[in-house]
Amino acid sequence: MKLVWFRNVLRLADNPALRHACAGDEPVAALFIISPTQWQQHKMAPIRQRFMLAQVDELGRELAALGIPLHLLRVETFAEVPAVLANLCREQGVTQLYANQAIEIDEQRRDHAVSAALAEQAVSCHWLNGCCVLPPGRVLTGSGEMFKVFTPFSRAWLKALDEEGFVIHRAPTARGETLPWQPLAERAWVDEALGELTPDPRWPVGEAEAQRRLNDFLEQAVFDYGETRDFPAIAGTSVLSPYLAAGIISPRQCVAALQQRLGYRPQSKAQPGFVWLNELIWREFYRHLLVLIPTLSMNRPFKPETAALPWSWDPDAFAAWCEGRTGYPIVDAAMRCLNATGWMHNRLRMIVASFLTKDLHIHWRLGEDYFMSRLIDGDLAANNGGWQWAAGTGADAAPYFRVFNPTTQGQRFDPQGEFIRTWVTELADIPAAYVHQPHDLLRLKGRQDYPAPMVDHAVARVRAIEMFRSLEK
């Protein structure tokens, strides 16, 4: 018996672990392990848990239709996994375990422990690359080291892809008669562990849905992506991040679909489609970086010297940022959107992260954790990379003297205030000319339903620059 352990790749197509397990005639079974306490410790958002489990439900039905049973096990933490998995392998007569690699430090430690425990039972473990186009350790400098800077990584990544290409693994064919599948919502122990399982209707699960979104984006928006991607009121992005984070679609499938749509693989900014491809390369870079520097999984800065920065931990200021009542409309709209939907536009992520760290001078770790606790697409590598970039502590970080002005960012990327008025309902009747700085008009109207700016940006900017300059001394 071969066992496929589903973790971070919840799909049938382009699933290397599933594909390799299904080679040959030996029986195949599948496994998913629910770890509620561990998920809480990792700040996994409830909306992300529901999204993931809805996909597991979909996956269970699809596997059952192929004659592959999906076992569900529950543990509280990763520490319990080796023993529970070893017991399942004994019961089922498993001789080989297949899984797609995890890159986070806790997950890697778990997998090392699993390998050791199963080796005692003569069960061989096969760890495959299902989360990156090119696996960590493949894209190297001329001296054979992994990259720490994005631009040369991007060039080397494109070159390696040209030299090696990649394979899209097809979904397996049926291996037996259709099996019964009991939905997760009907399993009492699952409900007790996780509470309400109803997924958010704004985020349908399934590989077909992910492919539909990808195809719609490539047909309708990819050619204008470079011009529209920064405007949150415009549907200019793919909105595929939840599906990539859950492994419902693979980055290889995205690259292949882009290449098929264009008829070529773009190599520079001058070519249509490259800006979106570059975003996929950023995703790869942050994942490779997490493997190279495990301390990034441990709340440590990429630039060690920045650990000495005198960050604030002000709970009241942090709460105002979380709740979208900073007095800066674009910041407040973004945070309220996140709290309501579990998703935030990428430009807005940069704006609110800059505001928290450079205007409020609050430690990026608080923002990173809050995002993970709310985002449906929460992904440690991308989230940590983005936050450290904004805070000035990470790889390829913006120079410390480059601080986003939240007012001018709003004026530039939401010029008519459409996004702001959608989420900051107090400003719904404010004309576009005033919506980014509404306070004088509100005072004239005698209104106090929207807060004044909690900080003076010009003063806060100077303080942020002084914080970083102090490191040089």
Side-chain angles (χ1 to χ4, degrees):
M1 170 77 73
K2 296 178 181 178
L3 181 65
V4 184
W5 181 12
F6 285 86
R7 301 103 60 85
N8 50 6
V9 174
L10 301 178
R11 60 180 182 266
L12 299 183
D14 199 32
N15 185 332
L18 180 62
R19 180 68 174 176
H20 282 78
C22 289
D25 298 326
E26 193 172 349
V28 175
L31 167 69
F32 183 82
I33 299 178
I34 296 172
S35 310
T37 300
Q38 191 74 55
W39 293 347
Q40 291 173 10
Q41 291 174 0
H42 286 172
K43 307 294 191 302
M44 185 186 289
I47 190 173
R48 185 182 170 209
Q49 293 184 35
R50 292 193 296 271
F51 182 71
M52 178 177 64
L53 290 172
Q55 177 60 24
V56 170
D57 217 3
E58 178 76 9
L59 187 66
R61 284 190 288 270
E62 293 177 339
L63 288 168
L66 297 177
I68 299 174
L70 174 62
H71 299 278
L72 292 178
L73 296 178
R74 176 188 169 184
V75 302
E76 292 306 315
T77 67
F78 288 163
E80 304 168 48
V81 170
V84 169
L85 192 49
N87 185 58
L88 178 68
C89 288
R90 278 194 299 272
E91 291 178 351
Q92 300 294 321
V94 172
T95 58
Q96 298 184 69
L97 175 73
Y98 291 82
N100 294 296
Q101 291 173 327
I103 60 170
E104 301 83 358
I105 188 64
D106 287 345
E107 284 78 355
Q108 287 197 4
R109 288 170 174 166
R110 173 201 62 194
D111 292 349
H112 287 315
V114 165
S115 291
L118 296 190
E120 297 179 2
Q121 298 179 193
V123 176
S124 57
C125 295
H126 307 271
W127 310 103
L128 297 114
N129 168 45
C131 296
C132 293
V133 178
L134 298 174
R138 169 59 189 88
V139 184
L140 302 174
T141 67
S143 57
E145 299 176 346
M146 292 179 70
F147 286 92
K148 294 183 179 180
V149 180
F150 175 72
T151 299
F153 172 87
S154 176
R155 288 195 294 262
W157 186 93
L158 287 166
K159 180 180 179 182
L161 196 62
D162 284 341
E163 292 173 349
E164 293 188 10
F166 58 90
V167 175
I168 302 291
H169 298 277
R170 294 181 180 179
T173 56
R175 302 182 64 82
E177 295 183 1
T178 299
L179 302 173
W181 171 252
Q182 182 184 12
L184 269 64
E186 297 178 5
R187 306 185 190 214
W189 67 272
V190 174
D191 289 343
E192 291 170 0
L194 298 158
E196 179 58 53
L197 289 176
T198 305
D200 192 316
R202 286 170 291 203
W203 302 104
V205 297
E207 293 177 65
E209 173 65 18
Q211 287 291 338
R212 184 193 67 78
R213 291 183 177 224
L214 173 60
N215 293 336
D216 286 352
F217 170 73
L218 293 176
E219 288 297 323
Q220 302 169 15
V222 70
F223 290 104
D224 298 323
Y225 179 74
E227 289 73 40
T228 61
R229 64 175 179 147
D230 285 319
F231 295 85
I234 298 174
T237 67
S238 68
V239 200
L240 278 171
S241 55
Y243 299 87
L244 282 164
I248 300 174
I249 195 170
S250 77
R252 283 187 293 256
Q253 289 173 306
C254 292
V255 174
L258 175 66
Q259 185 171 328
Q260 183 177 15
R261 174 72 175 93
L262 299 176
Y264 60 90
R265 187 183 305 137
Q267 299 289 321
S268 71
K269 293 179 180 178
Q271 294 179 299
F274 181 82
V275 177
W276 187 64
L277 175 62
N278 206 46
E279 291 300 308
L280 293 173
I281 301 175
W282 268 105
R283 181 182 184 274
E284 298 263 308
F285 175 61
Y286 283 141
R287 299 184 77 78
H288 287 220
L289 209 59
L290 205 64
V291 173
L292 173 64
I293 308 174
T295 53
L296 295 176
S297 295
M298 307 174 190
N299 296 318
R300 307 287 178 79
F302 173 84
K303 297 177 181 178
E305 68 275 12
T306 61
L309 285 166
W311 296 110
S312 167
W313 300 84
D314 184 338
D316 293 333
F318 180 62
W321 176 83
C322 292
E323 296 165 12
R325 46 184 179 85
T326 69
Y328 283 90
I330 194 66
V331 174
D332 294 340
M335 295 305 296
R336 295 183 195 188
C337 176
L338 169 64
N339 292 332
T341 70
W343 188 80
M344 187 188 290
H345 188 281
N346 187 59
R347 169 57 59 171
L348 299 178
R349 298 187 197 205
M350 292 190 284
I351 293 172
V352 302
S354 177
F355 186 84
L356 184 72
T357 57
K358 301 293 180 63
D359 284 78
L360 302 183
H361 314 125
I362 289 176
H363 204 302
W364 55 267
R365 283 171 49 187
L366 291 180
E368 179 191 15
D369 283 353
Y370 189 76
F371 266 30
M372 287 298 287
S373 74
R374 292 293 185 273
L375 284 170
I376 191 171
D377 62 358
D379 172 84
L380 177 60
N383 191 47
N384 178 272
W387 270 98
Q388 293 217 46
W389 181 90
T393 64
D396 273 62
Y400 66 81
F401 51 80
R402 186 180 299 160
V403 180
F404 281 19
N405 182 319
T407 301
T408 57
Q409 286 284 309
Q411 291 169 337
R412 181 178 177 186
F413 297 115
D414 189 28
Q416 299 304 312
E418 297 173 62
F419 180 81
I420 288 172
R421 283 191 291 266
T422 298
W423 294 102
V424 184
T425 55
E426 308 95 292
L427 305 180
D429 61 344
I430 299 298
Y434 301 94
V435 74
H436 299 284
Q437 294 177 296
H439 307 93
D440 289 343
L441 182 60
L442 291 173
R443 278 194 296 271
L444 285 173
K445 291 175 176 257
R447 288 173 50 182
Q448 298 180 348
D449 55 338
Y450 183 66
M454 61 188 298
V455 293
D456 183 319
H457 170 71
V459 174
R461 177 183 178 278
V462 171
R463 170 62 182 141
I465 292 172
E466 289 175 348
M467 281 173 53
F468 279 85
R469 282 182 176 163
S470 68
L471 294 179
E472 300 174 355
K473 301 176 183 179

